[in-house]
Structures are given as structure tokens and as C-alpha cells.
Amino acid sequence: MEIPLAQIRERLNNRRFTVAGNAHGLSGAGTVFHYHVEEDSIWGTYQGGRIRMGHQVGRVTGPDTIELLYHCLTTDGEILAGWSRGTVGVDHAGRTTLMFVWGWLSGATGGGESSYVELAA
């Protein structure tokens, strides 16, 4: 029987994602997220659109859940940081999906919900 951690690792490790929906966030259609997973640790990078460069670090928290801290430098020279809690899923086409609730910790206020879909290889 496959353990949940292995399922999340299989769905996220060395995979790239793009924004499917993020009405109140900074990342958009041009932003690409690249994740890595080792044991219960997650880290990654993101860039594109209004994001010059960004980094994420986090952990697996359940069979299909993760939590991340992130920070970025925008194309306008702003430095922003925040948190997110997410659910890893699969869409009708078999692509990995991510759904997050998130908020800013520094550089901005507020938060929201966002969704992401795996980019085809």
C-alpha cells in the first residue's frame, strides 16, 4: 500500500505548475512554480509575470495537504512574504492540481484563495 507522503512526492517532485485562478494574488498566467519534495519537506522557486524571483519552503501536513512559506521580489522591486495552506488533487485530465488559502506576512496585507494546475511536460 502506498503511503500518503509518497503520493504527494509523486505529484509534486520536480513538477511545474501555472496559475489557474488567483483573483487577489500577485502571481498570474505568466508565473511558473517548480516544486521539489524530499521526505516531508517541500521547496521550490517561482517566477514570471509580475514575479522577478520567488522561493517557497514548507512541509507535508496530511495525506493530501501541505503548508508553505513564500517570499518574492516583484518586477517593481517590492519584497513580499506570505503563508499558504494547500490541498493536492488531480483533475479530470490526470494533471496535479493545487488549491491554496493564503495570506501576506510582510510587504502587503490581505489574502485569498488560489488554484494551480500542472504544466504538461
Side-chain angles (χ1 to χ4, degrees), residues 101-116:
V101 173
W102 57 270
W104 294 111
L105 294 170
S106 177
T109 59
E113 295 182 8
S114 58
S115 58
Y116 305 83

Side-chain angles (χ1 to χ4, degrees), residues 91-110:
D91 71 8
H92 64 281
R95 297 175 301 181
T96 301
T97 60
L98 302 170
M99 301 288 289
F100 287 104
V101 173
W102 57 270
W104 294 111
L105 294 170
S106 177
T109 59

Side-chain angles (χ1 to χ4, degrees), residues 16-120:
R16 290 176 168 76
F17 294 80
T18 190
V19 176
N22 192 17
H24 303 318
L26 189 62
S27 60
T31 310
V32 175
F33 296 77
H34 186 196
Y35 290 97
H36 301 280
V37 181
E38 184 176 305
E39 296 180 9
D40 66 344
S41 301
I42 302 167
W43 70 97
T45 59
Y46 59 108
Q47 66 182 49
R50 295 178 56 202
I51 308 294
R52 182 175 297 161
M53 67 178 71
H55 299 95
Q56 301 176 343
V57 63
R59 63 185 176 169
V60 176
T61 57
D64 63 350
T65 57
I66 61 176
E67 66 181 4
L68 301 168
L69 292 173
Y70 56 88
H71 61 260
C72 68
L73 176 64
T74 71
T75 55
D76 293 331
E78 297 175 291
I79 296 176
L80 305 170
W83 61 270
S84 64
R85 290 184 188 91
T87 302
V88 180
V90 180
D91 71 8
H92 64 281
R95 297 175 301 181
T96 301
T97 60
L98 302 170
M99 301 288 289
F100 287 104
V101 173
W102 57 270
W104 294 111
L105 294 170
S106 177
T109 59
E113 295 182 8
S114 58
S115 58
Y116 305 83
V117 65
E118 182 181 3
L119 287 169

